[in-house]
Amino acid sequence: MTGRVLVLGGTGEARRLATALVDDGVDVLSSLAGRVADPLLPPGEVRVGGFGGVAGLTAWLRAHPTAAVVDATHPFAAAMTAHAAAACGLTGVPLLRLQRPGWTPRFGDDWRRVDSLAEAATAVAGFGSVFLTTGRLGLAAFAGLTARCLVRSVDPPEPPLPPRATVVLARGPFTVSDELALMRQHRVDVVVTKDSGGAMTAAKLTAARELRLPVVLVRRPPLPAGVPTVATVEDALAWLPDR
């Protein structure tokens, strides 16, 4: 294809898409939100930092001719996904949402689905030891918990945190053995996570199943109406030439 492709990234799918496009000689600009101090950078040109909402992204698209935008941000990056849909609608730039499928429960799973982090905090209020794997930006929702809380994130989280929080700084992927050892070490009673999907962070679900621990799973936010969506990098590559 000809013309520049803007990939809204920060996920493994975004990096794989950028790699494939660069290998094919396509002009790619990957945009990262800048929320991680040391992000894994894709090949090709990279910009770090937000656009400034719908108005900022609209202005950017008008100033930088773009053949297509692929929104490959995290399934819970709802604001960026909404901004991309609105800005592409205003400018007429074709937009594709690349989003990995959510997780599917297996035999033996005790999953308790909720719609928000606040609901997740309410759901675990009666447990003695909670493993929080929801990311560092939403931890304020759990600040009122009196249980022991194991918090894992890539970068140090900022307060407010639960008063009895133990912070583990680590970047995945993690093996099932890693997760089993961590949960046993901290005597975890319940796991809290978002329905991010994919294999990179699924080991904790397998570990919870083996330990017969309940998992409080936050549902994904809905996608904007009318935006075509694919589940794989291969499908995104097939969609792009037609633009």
PDB file of all heavy atoms in Angstrom, residues 4 27 29 55 69-70 79 86-88 100 107 112 123 137 147 149 162 170 176 188 223 234 236 242:
ATOM      1  N   ARG A   4       1.055   6.841   4.513  1.00  0.00           N
ATOM      2  CA  ARG A   4       1.457   6.534   5.884  1.00  0.00           C
ATOM      3  C   ARG A   4       0.325   5.880   6.657  1.00  0.00           C
ATOM      4  O   ARG A   4      -0.847   6.233   6.540  1.00  0.00           O
ATOM      5  CB  ARG A   4       1.885   7.811   6.597  1.00  0.00           C
ATOM      6  CG  ARG A   4       2.018   7.674   8.099  1.00  0.00           C
ATOM      7  CD  ARG A   4       2.620   8.898   8.736  1.00  0.00           C
ATOM      8  NE  ARG A   4       4.054   8.949   8.558  1.00  0.00           N
ATOM      9  CZ  ARG A   4       4.863   9.797   9.214  1.00  0.00           C
ATOM     10  NH1 ARG A   4       4.357  10.674  10.055  1.00  0.00           N
ATOM     11  NH2 ARG A   4       6.145   9.783   9.010  1.00  0.00           N
ATOM     12  N   ASP A  27       5.299   3.036   5.089  1.00  0.00           N
ATOM     13  CA  ASP A  27       5.633   4.150   5.982  1.00  0.00           C
ATOM     14  C   ASP A  27       4.728   4.074   7.211  1.00  0.00           C
ATOM     15  O   ASP A  27       3.516   4.274   7.114  1.00  0.00           O
ATOM     16  CB  ASP A  27       5.427   5.474   5.247  1.00  0.00           C
ATOM     17  CG  ASP A  27       5.799   6.679   6.100  1.00  0.00           C
ATOM     18  OD1 ASP A  27       6.397   6.499   7.177  1.00  0.00           O
ATOM     19  OD2 ASP A  27       5.469   7.813   5.687  1.00  0.00           O
ATOM     20  N   LEU A  29       4.001   5.106  11.329  1.00  0.00           N
ATOM     21  CA  LEU A  29       4.262   5.890  12.538  1.00  0.00           C
ATOM     22  C   LEU A  29       3.501   5.229  13.675  1.00  0.00           C
ATOM     23  O   LEU A  29       2.273   5.124  13.636  1.00  0.00           O
ATOM     24  CB  LEU A  29       3.804   7.337  12.383  1.00  0.00           C
ATOM     25  CG  LEU A  29       3.878   8.181  13.668  1.00  0.00           C
ATOM     26  CD1 LEU A  29       5.328   8.350  14.139  1.00  0.00           C
ATOM     27  CD2 LEU A  29       3.229   9.540  13.461  1.00  0.00           C
ATOM     28  N   ALA A  55      -9.864  16.894  19.521  1.00  0.00           N
ATOM     29  CA  ALA A  55      -9.449  18.076  18.752  1.00  0.00           C
ATOM     30  C   ALA A  55      -7.994  17.969  18.334  1.00  0.00           C
ATOM     31  O   ALA A  55      -7.637  18.297  17.192  1.00  0.00           O
ATOM     32  CB  ALA A  55      -9.674  19.341  19.582  1.00  0.00           C
ATOM     33  N   VAL A  69      -5.616   4.630   9.861  1.00  0.00           N
ATOM     34  CA  VAL A  69      -5.257   4.539  11.277  1.00  0.00           C
ATOM     35  C   VAL A  69      -5.660   3.159  11.772  1.00  0.00           C
ATOM     36  O   VAL A  69      -6.778   2.693  11.500  1.00  0.00           O
ATOM     37  CB  VAL A  69      -5.973   5.622  12.121  1.00  0.00           C
ATOM     38  CG1 VAL A  69      -5.673   5.426  13.613  1.00  0.00           C
ATOM     39  CG2 VAL A  69      -5.563   7.011  11.662  1.00  0.00           C
ATOM     40  N   VAL A  70      -4.751   2.501  12.471  1.00  0.00           N
ATOM     41  CA  VAL A  70      -5.069   1.234  13.134  1.00  0.00           C
ATOM     42  C   VAL A  70      -4.959   1.470  14.635  1.00  0.00           C
ATOM     43  O   VAL A  70      -3.885   1.777  15.146  1.00  0.00           O
ATOM     44  CB  VAL A  70      -4.136   0.094  12.701  1.00  0.00           C
ATOM     45  CG1 VAL A  70      -4.511  -1.192  13.448  1.00  0.00           C
ATOM     46  CG2 VAL A  70      -4.211  -0.126  11.199  1.00  0.00           C
ATOM     47  N   ALA A  79     -10.588   5.683  26.286  1.00  0.00           N
ATOM     48  CA  ALA A  79     -10.567   7.087  25.876  1.00  0.00           C
ATOM     49  C   ALA A  79      -9.879   7.244  24.520  1.00  0.00           C
ATOM     50  O   ALA A  79     -10.395   7.931  23.627  1.00  0.00           O
ATOM     51  CB  ALA A  79      -9.875   7.943  26.934  1.00  0.00           C
ATOM     52  N   ALA A  86     -13.772   9.273  16.818  1.00  0.00           N
ATOM     53  CA  ALA A  86     -14.325  10.603  16.553  1.00  0.00           C
ATOM     54  C   ALA A  86     -13.462  11.373  15.557  1.00  0.00           C
ATOM     55  O   ALA A  86     -13.974  12.005  14.620  1.00  0.00           O
ATOM     56  CB  ALA A  86     -14.440  11.379  17.862  1.00  0.00           C
ATOM     57  N   ALA A  87     -12.134  11.355  15.749  1.00  0.00           N
ATOM     58  CA  ALA A  87     -11.239  12.117  14.877  1.00  0.00           C
ATOM     59  C   ALA A  87     -11.249  11.571  13.453  1.00  0.00           C
ATOM     60  O   ALA A  87     -11.241  12.343  12.478  1.00  0.00           O
ATOM     61  CB  ALA A  87      -9.822  12.104  15.451  1.00  0.00           C
ATOM     62  N   CYS A  88     -11.251  10.258  13.303  1.00  0.00           N
ATOM     63  CA  CYS A  88     -11.290   9.678  11.962  1.00  0.00           C
ATOM     64  C   CYS A  88     -12.640   9.943  11.292  1.00  0.00           C
ATOM     65  O   CYS A  88     -12.710  10.147  10.077  1.00  0.00           O
ATOM     66  CB  CYS A  88     -10.994   8.180  12.027  1.00  0.00           C
ATOM     67  SG  CYS A  88      -9.261   7.802  12.372  1.00  0.00           S
ATOM     68  N   ARG A 100      -7.397  -7.998  20.445  1.00  0.00           N
ATOM     69  CA  ARG A 100      -7.361  -9.433  20.718  1.00  0.00           C
ATOM     70  C   ARG A 100      -8.637  -9.884  21.445  1.00  0.00           C
ATOM     71  O   ARG A 100      -9.229  -9.116  22.201  1.00  0.00           O
ATOM     72  CB  ARG A 100      -6.140  -9.783  21.564  1.00  0.00           C
ATOM     73  CG  ARG A 100      -6.202  -9.255  22.960  1.00  0.00           C
ATOM     74  CD  ARG A 100      -4.933  -9.572  23.765  1.00  0.00           C
ATOM     75  NE  ARG A 100      -3.909  -8.574  23.584  1.00  0.00           N
ATOM     76  CZ  ARG A 100      -3.580  -7.663  24.512  1.00  0.00           C
ATOM     77  NH1 ARG A 100      -4.211  -7.632  25.671  1.00  0.00           N
ATOM     78  NH2 ARG A 100      -2.622  -6.790  24.281  1.00  0.00           N
ATOM     79  N   PHE A 107     -12.976 -25.326  32.437  1.00  0.00           N
ATOM     80  CA  PHE A 107     -13.504 -26.140  33.523  1.00  0.00           C
ATOM     81  C   PHE A 107     -12.663 -25.912  34.789  1.00  0.00           C
ATOM     82  O   PHE A 107     -11.436 -25.976  34.748  1.00  0.00           O
ATOM     83  CB  PHE A 107     -13.471 -27.616  33.145  1.00  0.00           C
ATOM     84  CG  PHE A 107     -13.980 -28.517  34.235  1.00  0.00           C
ATOM     85  CD1 PHE A 107     -15.344 -28.660  34.455  1.00  0.00           C
ATOM     86  CD2 PHE A 107     -13.091 -29.205  35.047  1.00  0.00           C
ATOM     87  CE1 PHE A 107     -15.815 -29.489  35.462  1.00  0.00           C
ATOM     88  CE2 PHE A 107     -13.560 -30.025  36.063  1.00  0.00           C
ATOM     89  CZ  PHE A 107     -14.918 -30.170  36.266  1.00  0.00           C
ATOM     90  N   ARG A 112     -15.689 -14.230  38.511  1.00  0.00           N
ATOM     91  CA  ARG A 112     -16.773 -13.361  38.938  1.00  0.00           C
ATOM     92  C   ARG A 112     -16.629 -12.040  38.184  1.00  0.00           C
ATOM     93  O   ARG A 112     -15.748 -11.238  38.496  1.00  0.00           O
ATOM     94  CB  ARG A 112     -16.703 -13.167  40.460  1.00  0.00           C
ATOM     95  CG  ARG A 112     -16.679 -14.513  41.181  1.00  0.00           C
ATOM     96  CD  ARG A 112     -16.376 -14.409  42.652  1.00  0.00           C
ATOM     97  NE  ARG A 112     -16.213 -15.747  43.233  1.00  0.00           N
ATOM     98  CZ  ARG A 112     -16.103 -15.983  44.542  1.00  0.00           C
ATOM     99  NH1 ARG A 112     -16.149 -14.971  45.415  1.00  0.00           N
ATOM    100  NH2 ARG A 112     -15.934 -17.215  44.988  1.00  0.00           N
ATOM    101  N   ALA A 123     -16.247  -6.435  45.405  1.00  0.00           N
ATOM    102  CA  ALA A 123     -16.339  -7.894  45.321  1.00  0.00           C
ATOM    103  C   ALA A 123     -15.282  -8.599  46.160  1.00  0.00           C
ATOM    104  O   ALA A 123     -15.481  -9.749  46.568  1.00  0.00           O
ATOM    105  CB  ALA A 123     -16.215  -8.332  43.863  1.00  0.00           C
ATOM    106  N   LEU A 137      -2.588   2.414  37.210  1.00  0.00           N
ATOM    107  CA  LEU A 137      -3.353   3.649  37.102  1.00  0.00           C
ATOM    108  C   LEU A 137      -4.719   3.574  37.775  1.00  0.00           C
ATOM    109  O   LEU A 137      -5.312   4.605  38.055  1.00  0.00           O
ATOM    110  CB  LEU A 137      -3.507   4.041  35.633  1.00  0.00           C
ATOM    111  CG  LEU A 137      -2.201   4.357  34.900  1.00  0.00           C
ATOM    112  CD1 LEU A 137      -2.482   4.719  33.448  1.00  0.00           C
ATOM    113  CD2 LEU A 137      -1.438   5.477  35.592  1.00  0.00           C
ATOM    114  N   ALA A 147      -7.566  -5.460  53.476  1.00  0.00           N
ATOM    115  CA  ALA A 147      -6.884  -6.740  53.290  1.00  0.00           C
ATOM    116  C   ALA A 147      -5.426  -6.513  52.891  1.00  0.00           C
ATOM    117  O   ALA A 147      -5.033  -5.418  52.470  1.00  0.00           O
ATOM    118  CB  ALA A 147      -7.594  -7.549  52.210  1.00  0.00           C
ATOM    119  N   CYS A 149      -2.757  -6.636  50.251  1.00  0.00           N
ATOM    120  CA  CYS A 149      -2.887  -6.516  48.804  1.00  0.00           C
ATOM    121  C   CYS A 149      -1.522  -6.646  48.144  1.00  0.00           C
ATOM    122  O   CYS A 149      -0.591  -5.886  48.469  1.00  0.00           O
ATOM    123  CB  CYS A 149      -3.527  -5.186  48.425  1.00  0.00           C
ATOM    124  SG  CYS A 149      -5.260  -5.024  48.907  1.00  0.00           S
ATOM    125  N   PRO A 162      -3.781   0.755  48.679  1.00  0.00           N
ATOM    126  CA  PRO A 162      -4.300   0.105  49.879  1.00  0.00           C
ATOM    127  C   PRO A 162      -3.254   0.199  51.001  1.00  0.00           C
ATOM    128  O   PRO A 162      -2.054   0.087  50.743  1.00  0.00           O
ATOM    129  CB  PRO A 162      -4.522  -1.343  49.439  1.00  0.00           C
ATOM    130  CG  PRO A 162      -4.675  -1.269  47.957  1.00  0.00           C
ATOM    131  CD  PRO A 162      -3.789  -0.149  47.507  1.00  0.00           C
ATOM    132  N   ALA A 170       7.511  -5.749  38.011  1.00  0.00           N
ATOM    133  CA  ALA A 170       7.906  -6.805  37.073  1.00  0.00           C
ATOM    134  C   ALA A 170       7.184  -6.593  35.757  1.00  0.00           C
ATOM    135  O   ALA A 170       6.083  -6.065  35.712  1.00  0.00           O
ATOM    136  CB  ALA A 170       7.580  -8.184  37.642  1.00  0.00           C
ATOM    137  N   VAL A 176       3.435 -20.008  34.310  1.00  0.00           N
ATOM    138  CA  VAL A 176       2.523 -20.522  35.326  1.00  0.00           C
ATOM    139  C   VAL A 176       3.284 -20.813  36.619  1.00  0.00           C
ATOM    140  O   VAL A 176       2.800 -20.540  37.718  1.00  0.00           O
ATOM    141  CB  VAL A 176       1.804 -21.787  34.822  1.00  0.00           C
ATOM    142  CG1 VAL A 176       0.951 -22.408  35.923  1.00  0.00           C
ATOM    143  CG2 VAL A 176       0.934 -21.455  33.608  1.00  0.00           C
ATOM    144  N   VAL A 188      -2.227 -15.758  48.582  1.00  0.00           N
ATOM    145  CA  VAL A 188      -3.301 -15.047  47.885  1.00  0.00           C
ATOM    146  C   VAL A 188      -4.614 -15.813  48.016  1.00  0.00           C
ATOM    147  O   VAL A 188      -4.655 -17.044  47.878  1.00  0.00           O
ATOM    148  CB  VAL A 188      -2.925 -14.851  46.401  1.00  0.00           C
ATOM    149  CG1 VAL A 188      -4.118 -14.368  45.576  1.00  0.00           C
ATOM    150  CG2 VAL A 188      -1.758 -13.874  46.285  1.00  0.00           C
ATOM    151  N   LEU A 223     -16.934  -0.980  22.493  1.00  0.00           N
ATOM    152  CA  LEU A 223     -16.255  -0.291  21.402  1.00  0.00           C
ATOM    153  C   LEU A 223     -17.201   0.716  20.751  1.00  0.00           C
ATOM    154  O   LEU A 223     -18.425   0.551  20.782  1.00  0.00           O
ATOM    155  CB  LEU A 223     -15.774  -1.292  20.354  1.00  0.00           C
ATOM    156  CG  LEU A 223     -14.662  -2.240  20.790  1.00  0.00           C
ATOM    157  CD1 LEU A 223     -14.403  -3.289  19.716  1.00  0.00           C
ATOM    158  CD2 LEU A 223     -13.390  -1.470  21.097  1.00  0.00           C
ATOM    159  N   GLU A 234      -2.806 -10.520  11.252  1.00  0.00           N
ATOM    160  CA  GLU A 234      -2.979 -10.969   9.872  1.00  0.00           C
ATOM    161  C   GLU A 234      -4.221 -10.361   9.234  1.00  0.00           C
ATOM    162  O   GLU A 234      -4.203  -9.938   8.062  1.00  0.00           O
ATOM    163  CB  GLU A 234      -3.049 -12.502   9.822  1.00  0.00           C
ATOM    164  CG  GLU A 234      -1.750 -13.213  10.157  1.00  0.00           C
ATOM    165  CD  GLU A 234      -1.389 -13.147  11.643  1.00  0.00           C
ATOM    166  OE1 GLU A 234      -2.298 -12.932  12.485  1.00  0.00           O
ATOM    167  OE2 GLU A 234      -0.196 -13.298  11.962  1.00  0.00           O
ATOM    168  N   ALA A 236      -5.572  -7.529  10.119  1.00  0.00           N
ATOM    169  CA  ALA A 236      -5.298  -6.102   9.937  1.00  0.00           C
ATOM    170  C   ALA A 236      -4.470  -5.867   8.678  1.00  0.00           C
ATOM    171  O   ALA A 236      -4.723  -4.932   7.913  1.00  0.00           O
ATOM    172  CB  ALA A 236      -4.562  -5.549  11.155  1.00  0.00           C
ATOM    173  N   ASP A 242      -6.603  -2.386   0.986  1.00  0.00           N
ATOM    174  CA  ASP A 242      -7.845  -1.882   0.391  1.00  0.00           C
ATOM    175  C   ASP A 242      -8.082  -0.419   0.710  1.00  0.00           C
ATOM    176  O   ASP A 242      -8.958   0.214   0.115  1.00  0.00           O
ATOM    177  CB  ASP A 242      -9.033  -2.705   0.890  1.00  0.00           C
ATOM    178  CG  ASP A 242      -8.989  -4.133   0.375  1.00  0.00           C
ATOM    179  OD1 ASP A 242      -8.343  -4.359  -0.667  1.00  0.00           O
ATOM    180  OD2 ASP A 242      -9.579  -5.014   1.016  1.00  0.00           O
TER     181      ASP A 242
END
